Amino acid sequence: MAQIVIEFGAPTLGTIMDATLSVIGTPTVIEIELRSGGGQVFAMDYLETLSRQLTDGQVLSATFRTESKEVRYGLIIRPHYGGQNRSIWMGTVELVTTEWRPYWEALLQFDGLSFVCVGDEEGVELTDDNLTVTSFPWDEWPLLVGALRAEEEGNSWVIRERTPE
């Protein structure tokens, strides 16, 4: 079974929340990781409270489970999650299909996203240090394709596919 990991980042939680929910559909269960330790599970009606708790730091991450046959989960993590050097909000969608391009193309439509990338089997290791066009891991496994906002060209994407080895 294929496993594809799509990651995307933005400076605001709202953009990440909207992008995640638009590509995974309606979650049936939301699992959260609390700053104080441990976790909890909630139903869909928890979304408004979840946004507030992610913003104020009570919740570190949220995993969205759906009944989609193609989506294993959606995940949102706070900036600097787990001590990582990444200062933006991040979303992840794990797919169990080789048909990842419709998800990729849907995410590229979100103006507020800073990057979108697709990894084969696992996510791409991203930090503030490699989130520029010149430093991005364009040719490193597991990247299949990546898109970053052009630094000099307004809101356009710079898109590159990894060259097969």
Side-chain angles (χ1 to χ4, degrees):
M1 178 181 304
Q3 178 173 297
I4 299 294
V5 179
I6 303 177
E7 297 169 300
F8 42 99
T12 63
L13 171 60
T15 300
I16 294 297
M17 184 76 77
D18 291 346
T20 302
L21 294 175
S22 77
V23 297
I24 69 167
T26 304
T28 52
V29 173
I30 304 168
E31 302 166 5
I32 64 167
E33 178 186 354
L34 297 166
R35 180 182 62 213
S36 60
Q40 295 177 333
V41 177
F42 294 93
M44 170 66 179
D45 60 357
Y46 176 66
L47 278 177
E48 189 174 315
T49 302
L50 173 62
S51 291
R52 282 193 311 272
Q53 291 179 333
L54 278 163
T55 300
D56 71 18
Q58 291 178 50
V59 171
L60 301 177
S61 70
T63 302
F64 302 91
R65 305 286 178 184
T66 73
E67 298 199 1
S68 168
K69 293 183 184 338
E70 293 185 345
V71 176
R72 182 168 288 142
Y73 65 83
L75 170 69
I76 295 175
I77 59 174
R78 290 185 47 76
H80 302 291
Y81 175 84
Q84 295 174 339
N85 178 23
R86 191 176 46 246
S87 60
I88 62 177
W89 292 90
M90 190 158 150
T92 301
V93 174
E94 186 173 305
L95 303 174
V96 289
T97 178
T98 57
E99 301 299 319
W100 53 267
R101 288 199 185 265
Y103 295 92
W104 156 260
E105 293 185 11
L107 287 165
L108 292 178
Q109 303 309 308
F110 281 85
D111 288 335
L113 292 179
S114 303
F115 74 88
V116 181
C117 63
V118 179
D120 183 14
E121 296 294 324
E122 60 186 67
V124 179
E125 293 295 322
L126 298 171
T127 67
D128 286 351
D129 296 333
N130 64 4
L131 285 176
T132 67
V133 173
T134 56
S135 66
F136 195 79
W138 297 110
D139 291 318
E140 294 178 24
W141 181 88
L143 183 79
L144 294 173
V145 63
L148 268 74
R149 294 292 179 185
E151 293 146 3
E152 305 85 29
E153 301 170 32
N155 211 23
S156 64
W157 289 110
V158 173
I159 299 174
R160 295 184 190 157
E161 294 198 32
R162 178 172 50 98
T163 306
E165 298 172 0

